[in-house]
Amino acid sequence: MDIIIDGLKQGFQLIWSLDPEIIQITLVSLQVSLTALLLAGITGIPIGSALALKEMPGKRTILNIIYTFMGLPPVLAGLMVYLALTTRGPLGQYQLLFTPTAMIIAQLLLAFPIVCGLTARTVMSQHQEVYDTAATLGASRRQASWVIIKESRIGIIGALTTALGRVIAEVGAVMLVGGNIQGSTRVLTTSIVLETRMGNDSRAIAIGIILLAIAFSIIMIINILEKRSFKYGGSIQIT
Amino acid sequence: MEAVFRLHNVSKSYGQREVLNVNDLTIPGHEIYAFLGPNGSGKTTLLRIIALLARNTAGKVEVLGEEVVWSKDQLLRLRRQMAMVTQTSFMFEGSVFSNVAYGLKVRGQRGQEVRQTVAKVLELVGMTAFINNDTRGLSGGERQKIAIARAVAVKPQVLFLDEPTANIDPRSSLDIEKYIKLIKQELNTTIIMVTHNLFQARRLADRIYFMWDGHIIEDGSTQEMFENPKDKRTRLFMLGDAVF
């Protein structure tokens, strides 16, 4: 028990003292995960919506593949990106391996299926009535589709939350393609692994606390956005 | 005379099951037409086809003098001359104003023009005080009045009403009936309603189409249909013995 309490004390001291290395690691983590999430949002929301709203050949198969990739193990995503970016791989000439860009690509591979798949599901769960109402008021297909997406925003925010939770907490993919290089590709999760292995429990705990605080802050912001969107204030009274 | 709607040998099937089969139907326009019949008789299916929300499986449909070919451009052009109020009066997220303004905004209207029209139609349904309210707090009757205002705002030639008072209290129902009559008188709008409320059909409609098992089995003026129905099934329904 003492080891945990001492670790917590030292951890808070490290955070309080604004340890430059920890700040740098935190910033790299945020940069990598938020960029991956942004790219997943930019691509996943329109593709997921299009898959939900358009009838096309092979739609069910595409959706099933996306749903399968929602459970992609991070280390496998890392391996796929590693094989693509290694000097002998198809994208080896760009020399992206062991850079934050490689980590962003790996995390995008994890976040995209979640954003895309959950967006498709939430859009598909909207009632026909949303489209009918917009269409009978004179909306074009594009305008009516936009209304459906807008009405699905709680689910889409949920998809982004889930994707962020997955990328910010994963270690396997970023370790494999980033290499955990100090001052460059070291992030919060890979640091925890490293510090624990080196016996620096207090630093590992400090970094763990920061990771939790970041996740908590982002989820709080998303919760506030979500609550504004709930049709009936986000609470059901069960008496 | 040019009819608002003309249907010839129109059917709708889901797989092997045929839910609608109308040989010939002509709706001249500028009156209130009620489609009556028990649940499952095909009323809503017919309404959705002529409102261009569902395709017929076979047959020819003419809307506002045009044969429907279901092209994107034609659908948009024809739909912009019609509007619908559904049973549950779905409201988009946001305020009463943004809901009523929706049809105007998708037509490219902005600013003062939109504000004036919204104010006018809300006054028509006695809901001026609700203009800035969030639609989440509205009662069923209030929602239905807003839905009517939203539909009327776009000045439709045809207004479809799908069971417009099915989920609301008698007082609000009477209010809504008053507004429906007013819309016909003031705007000369063709109103097509689907209902299984006999009393409402009697109070509102100029002409009644009676549906049974996917077919229109009888039609006539409201007086004829209530006082001297020819078909036995119509008679049973009008007497209230076959209301399901």
Side-chain angles (χ1 to χ4, degrees):
Chain A
M1 195 63 194
D2 287 349
I3 189 174
I4 297 170
I5 293 166
D6 287 347
L8 277 170
K9 275 184 195 163
Q10 289 175 43
F12 279 115
Q13 276 165 10
L14 272 170
I15 296 168
W16 190 248
S17 65
L18 297 172
D19 182 275
E21 196 192 346
I22 289 182
I23 289 173
Q24 194 270 334
I25 292 167
T26 306
L27 291 175
V28 175
S29 269
L30 284 172
Q31 182 211 338
V32 168
S33 294
L34 291 177
T35 309
L37 185 72
L38 181 72
L39 294 173
I42 291 170
T43 52
I45 296 170
I47 294 174
S49 304
L51 280 169
L53 295 170
K54 281 186 190 286
E55 284 311 316
M56 57 183 97
K59 171 175 164 168
R60 202 28 63 193
T61 311
I62 297 169
L63 279 171
N64 283 337
I65 293 169
I66 289 168
Y67 294 151
T68 307
F69 271 75
M70 282 166 70
L72 183 70
V75 72
L76 189 55
L79 179 65
M80 286 157 73
V81 176
Y82 179 88
L83 292 173
L85 299 182
T86 189
T87 43
R88 284 165 296 148
L91 302 172
Q93 53 177 316
Y94 299 108
Q95 298 186 319
L96 293 173
L97 201 58
F98 307 126
T99 66
T101 308
M103 295 155 76
I104 291 168
I105 296 170
Q107 290 201 344
L108 176 61
L109 204 61
L110 294 170
F112 172 80
I114 293 173
V115 176
C116 184
L118 293 182
T119 297
R121 277 193 183 176
T122 190
V123 172
M124 283 192 286
S125 72
Q126 289 293 322
H127 288 283
Q128 179 67 37
E129 213 178 1
V130 185
Y131 178 83
D132 288 354
T133 303
T136 56
L137 288 168
S140 63
R141 280 184 198 176
R142 188 187 290 259
Q143 288 166 330
S145 301
W146 175 239
V147 167
I148 297 173
I149 295 165
K150 261 176 76 182
E151 293 292 320
S152 311
R153 65 183 176 276
I154 296 172
I156 294 173
I157 292 170
L160 291 170
T161 318
T162 312
L164 180 67
R166 181 146 162 93
V167 294
I168 200 130
E170 74 84 21
V171 63
V174 284
M175 184 76 100
L176 209 61
V177 302
N180 196 22
I181 302 164
Q182 191 176 17
S184 168
T185 59
R186 185 164 296 167
V187 289
L188 293 166
T189 50
T190 55
S191 295
I192 293 173
V193 175
L194 182 77
E195 299 294 354
T196 311
R197 277 189 189 151
M198 290 167 66
N200 297 331
D201 300 331
S202 56
R203 284 185 77 82
I205 289 172
I207 297 164
I209 292 167
I210 292 169
L211 190 59
L212 264 179
I214 289 172
F216 183 75
S217 312
I218 295 170
I219 299 301
M220 282 303 288
I221 293 167
I222 290 169
N223 273 346
I224 292 166
L225 288 175
E226 238 177 7
K227 203 163 185 185
R228 280 193 199 158
S229 302
F230 279 128
K231 274 203 162 161
Y232 303 101
S235 65
I236 292 170
Q237 289 181 5
I238 297 170
T239 52
Chain B
M1 183 189 158
E2 191 160 280
V4 174
F5 297 101
R6 218 187 280 273
L7 276 71
H8 182 65
N9 287 339
V10 168
S11 66
K12 175 79 179 171
S13 303
Y14 295 103
Q16 296 293 310
R17 199 166 71 92
E18 189 178 76
V19 294
L20 184 75
N21 192 329
V22 175
N23 292 333
D24 276 299
L25 169 67
T26 301
I27 303 178
H30 308 293
E31 287 192 301
I32 300 180
Y33 303 91
F35 284 84
L36 268 178
N39 289 337
S41 59
K43 307 183 295 286
T44 298
T45 305
L46 177 62
L47 189 82
R48 287 180 62 78
I49 289 172
I50 61 176
L52 307 176
L53 290 173
R55 283 186 186 218
N56 47 316
T57 312
K60 194 171 107 175
V61 179
E62 273 181 38
V63 173
L64 299 167
E66 272 185 55
E67 183 175 346
V68 180
V69 293
W70 301 97
S71 74
K72 210 163 97 175
D73 292 343
Q74 188 196 39
L75 287 181
L76 185 62
R77 183 163 36 78
L78 291 176
R79 276 185 192 149
R80 285 196 171 176
Q81 297 171 68
M82 309 190 283
M84 183 188 258
V85 175
T86 58
Q87 199 177 128
T88 52
S89 55
F90 175 80
M91 291 281 132
F92 302 124
E93 294 267 333
S95 67
V96 166
F97 176 85
S98 67
N99 266 274
V100 180
Y102 181 80
L104 303 169
K105 288 190 172 169
V106 297
R107 285 165 172 78
Q109 293 183 26
R110 295 286 180 272
Q112 192 61 20
E113 194 184 3
V114 172
R115 280 193 291 276
Q116 278 175 356
T117 308
V118 172
K120 204 170 132 189
V121 292
L122 284 177
E123 195 185 339
L124 180 83
V125 296
M127 295 293 284
T128 304
F130 289 75
I131 191 163
N132 293 318
N133 286 27
D134 193 309
T135 53
R136 287 182 285 197
L138 300 175
S139 70
E142 288 162 351
R143 288 161 76 91
Q144 204 64 334
K145 288 175 196 170
I146 299 297
I148 289 174
R150 184 172 64 179
V152 172
V154 300
K155 297 188 183 74
Q157 285 189 47
V158 182
L159 176 63
F160 297 104
L161 304 167
D162 187 4
E163 304 278 8
T165 58
N167 299 318
I168 53 181
D169 64 272
R171 174 69 202 268
S172 298
S173 294
L174 287 175
D175 277 351
I176 283 165
E177 288 182 15
K178 187 175 82 189
Y179 302 133
I180 294 170
K181 281 184 192 158
L182 199 67
I183 291 162
K184 186 208 153 192
Q185 281 164 13
E186 301 280 314
L187 307 171
N188 195 27
T189 309
T190 299
I191 295 175
I192 297 187
M193 59 186 293
V194 155
T195 181
H196 57 248
N197 183 334
L198 286 170
F199 307 107
Q200 187 171 67
R202 190 166 201 168
R203 283 191 296 264
L204 285 177
D206 298 304
R207 190 166 189 86
I208 288 174
Y209 296 86
F210 184 68
M211 295 193 68
W212 189 279
D213 204 16
H215 302 270
I216 297 174
I217 58 167
E218 193 173 351
D219 69 282
S221 71
T222 304
Q223 196 180 359
E224 277 168 13
M225 291 291 279
F226 276 94
E227 289 173 10
N228 190 22
K230 291 174 187 68
D231 192 280
K232 189 185 163 196
R233 291 161 294 183
T234 317
R235 212 161 33 243
L236 280 172
F237 190 87
M238 295 304 186
L239 292 170
D241 288 347
V243 180
F244 300 104

